[in-house]
Amino acid sequence: LMNDSTPILSIIIPVYTVEYYIRESLDSLLQQDLSACEVLCVNDGSTDGSLAILQEYQTNHLDIFRVFTQTNQGQAAARNKALDEAQGEFVVFLDSDDYYLPNAIATIITYIKKYPLVDVFYWDCAVTTEGNRYYTLPHISPVDQQIIEYYDWEHEQYTTTPAGCVCGGAYRKAFLDKNHLRMRPGVYYEDELFIFSIFTCQGNVLALHLNQPFYYYRIGRDGSTVTSLREKNFKDRMTVTREMNNVLQQSQCITEARRHKIFSMYLQNIIEGYQYGYIALITKMLKKEDLAIISAGAISQHEKKLLRLLKISPRLMAAYKTNQLLSIIRRGINRFIK
């Protein structure tokens, strides 16, 4: 049971060499009502002045900020460290180069209090680049559903599924602990696996797609894992996608929406790998088991067409999907794989 001294919200921030961004992120928090919060910052072996900045904020706000430091182990390990230390009823994640909109934390806590049986709250994020800001999909009215129902409901209504941005949700700490849910260390895109694992657990979820999102997610920063697709990124995305399928099989909550999510990730991996020149690596990594998983998730006739092309050649499929083929060749393919 929670007592009066227990924070409602633990805000977790992994920090690695972001001295040019971290103040904006922390200041966005200090503009919030943090009276029911704790902020856990984990310095993951930063090589710049990030740790000194964290210690400055901790000194000035001892009642709120808790700072941990470790050798560089990656974002997932830093988040896991904070998860183990968190004392709040719920946890949220803030990346050290992102920031919250005004009143976001108070609004989240209001919904936590309003729906005391809900284990996971989920909302949209806005996206900001270095020069532009724009919003995500139009808002959806809040809906209270079982997690196993919500995943498929959103897929049916909006042909989407919950995204892999872990910063777009608040998660009951006891729910995560009960289901042994932590980040997968050592790989990029651990968000995708973590979110997918949450949405294949038994529990409740409240979808909060509001008129304005709570969170600004920065893309395009130098050094960001989403700035470019390196070979390790590609390999890790394939690893995470396979592990998502393992989670799905073990959960026994297999639905069309979940299979299609995995299909979409495979397709995205292959196409982006092709665009970044990793076609030989794609061909080497794709096994018969992968093709069987992809086959199970193909729904539309167009997707089944892409699957047939993939079995012939990953290069051919990716070139077809990205309109890199001469029109005469494309027409011939269309006739061949009707």
Side-chain angles (χ1 to χ4, degrees), residues 205-248:
V205 63
L206 181 68
L208 300 178
H209 294 254
L210 302 183
N211 196 27
Q212 287 194 347
F214 295 147
Y215 187 96
Y216 268 126
Y217 176 62
R218 191 191 305 271
I219 61 173
R221 174 179 66 82
D222 290 342
S224 168
T225 58
V226 296
T227 301
S228 63
L229 187 69
R230 300 185 296 272
E231 184 172 334
K232 175 172 170 52
N233 296 60
F234 177 76
K235 289 180 177 179
D236 285 353
R237 286 178 67 164
M238 291 293 289
T239 297
V240 164
T241 307
R242 287 168 175 161
E243 290 193 14
M244 285 169 62
N245 184 68
N246 292 337
V247 167
L248 179 60

Side-chain angles (χ1 to χ4, degrees), residues 3-188:
N3 56 55
D4 291 340
S5 63
T6 301
I8 294 176
L9 211 57
S10 294
I11 303 169
I12 291 174
I13 310 177
V15 176
Y16 176 70
T17 314
V18 284
E19 64 179 2
Y20 295 110
Y21 301 96
I22 186 63
R23 288 187 184 276
E24 181 180 21
S25 181
L26 297 180
D27 286 342
S28 83
L29 282 181
L30 292 176
Q31 294 167 11
Q32 311 279 331
D33 178 1
L34 299 180
S35 58
C37 303
E38 63 171 357
V39 180
L40 290 78
C41 302
V42 180
N43 174 55
D44 187 42
S46 295
T47 58
D48 62 0
S50 295
L51 177 57
I53 294 172
L54 295 179
Q55 291 171 335
E56 172 193 328
Y57 277 77
Q58 182 182 38
T59 299
N60 294 332
H61 306 279
L62 286 173
D63 56 329
I64 298 174
F65 282 83
R66 299 166 63 197
V67 175
F68 306 89
T69 190
Q70 61 184 29
T71 57
N72 180 242
Q73 300 173 47
Q75 182 170 253
R79 286 171 169 167
N80 287 343
K81 168 65 176 175
L83 274 171
D84 291 341
E85 298 286 347
Q87 298 175 2
E89 183 179 359
F90 278 78
V91 298
V92 295
F93 297 91
L94 172 63
D95 283 351
S96 53
D97 55 349
D98 299 338
Y99 50 96
Y100 282 108
L101 275 71
N103 300 315
I105 297 300
T107 305
I108 293 168
I109 290 176
T110 296
Y111 277 99
I112 288 174
K113 291 179 177 178
K114 184 177 180 179
Y115 297 93
L117 299 181
V118 172
D119 290 323
V120 181
F121 295 82
Y122 178 78
W123 55 80
D124 277 346
C125 296
V127 179
T128 176
T129 64
E130 293 299 340
N132 301 286
R133 296 175 182 174
Y134 53 93
Y135 290 113
T136 53
L137 296 173
H139 74 280
I140 306 169
S141 298
V143 55
D144 189 1
Q145 303 225 358
Q146 290 288 319
I147 281 183
I148 56 174
E149 295 171 353
Y150 171 72
Y151 201 98
D152 301 292
W153 174 85
E154 183 174 312
H155 182 268
E156 178 183 349
Q157 296 296 316
Y158 301 97
T159 63
T160 64
T161 51
C165 177
V166 72
C167 301
Y171 316 93
R172 188 181 298 276
K173 175 67 159 47
F175 173 85
L176 298 180
D177 292 344
K178 174 185 175 182
N179 290 286
H180 309 290
L181 292 170
R182 290 295 187 270
M183 303 286 177
R184 163 72 151 81
V187 298
Y188 296 133

Side-chain angles (χ1 to χ4, degrees), residues 268-295:
Q268 181 183 6
N269 295 349
I270 294 165
I271 290 170
E272 291 192 13
Y274 166 77
Q275 291 173 326
Y276 280 89
Y278 295 125
I279 195 66
L281 184 60
I282 294 170
T283 303
K284 181 179 179 181
M285 290 189 71
L286 274 178
K287 309 296 183 184
K288 289 183 178 180
E289 303 83 63
D290 297 301
L291 292 174
I293 297 168
I294 297 170
S295 298

